[in-house]
Amino acid sequence: MLLPEGVVIDGTTGAVSPSTDRYEKRLSDLRGFFRDDAALDRAIAEGGDPIAYEVIDYRHQASDLAFGTTIMMPGKVGDEFNMTRGHYHLRTECGEAYYTQSGEGLLLLESRDGEVRTVEMKPGVCAFIPPDWAHRSINTGKDKLVFVWFCATDAGHDYGSIKDRGMRKLVVERDGKPALVDNPNYA
Ligand code: M6P
Ligand code: ZN
């Protein structure tokens, strides 16, 4: 039987205690997601293939609800800010919430019929991700971006269409500021 417990989440480091799982993605794991492969190679060589983000889970298969943190490093690949792969949920009726704890970023969302929206990520904002919207988080700041996510345990990740086609928009640095631009490679 699952028992109630208080899970301690550090909003600065993203540490979750207790947690059930964790993984990290390095820049080399994100090949194919950034626009500029040569810039990715340079960033990997210069930084020693740095960690781009880390995900820590509190997840029990016997419960419908899971949560955890994502800790995103600052940085850019070419002019594109560090980002997650981005996904739809396999269970298309499942939404998600992202409650930012520290840092600043943008949540980029895209519906199946091609509508694009962004939600600012900053402490105090809990972003609502409706069912069947692709979502990718982007660290546009100089510090770590740490947020807590809440999602159905079995929502699942569908990376296929994002990996194959990309998202319609990119978040790049223009004049020192984040800007949303058309993805020239969108298929
Ligand atoms: C958030 C959640 C996770 C997701 C992670 C990384 O923390 O939505 O479920 O796995 O971001 O994003 P992605 O899986 O798209 O790389
Ligand atoms: Zn999700």
Side-chain angles (χ1 to χ4, degrees), residues 23 25 53 55 59 69-70 84-87 89 96 98 135-137 147 149 151 157 159:
Y23 70 82
K25 291 287 170 200
Y53 60 95
V55 178
R59 183 187 298 273
T69 57
T70 299
T84 59
R85 291 165 289 178
H87 58 270
H89 292 149
E96 190 164 358
Y98 283 0
H135 42 289
R136 161 180 287 165
S137 39
F147 61 94
W149 49 267
C151 192
H157 296 86
Y159 296 104

Side-chain angles (χ1 to χ4, degrees), residues 10 14 22 29 37 45 74 82 89-90 105 113 115 121 127 136 139 145 154 159 161 165-166 170 174 185-186:
D10 184 316
R22 78 173 275 287
D29 298 317
D37 281 333
N82 273 2
H89 292 149
L90 289 171
D113 52 11
E115 215 172 311
M121 298 180 79
R136 161 180 287 165
N139 185 347
L145 173 65
D154 61 354
Y159 296 104
S161 46
R165 281 188 307 163
L170 307 175
R174 288 279 184 278
N185 299 334
Y186 181 76

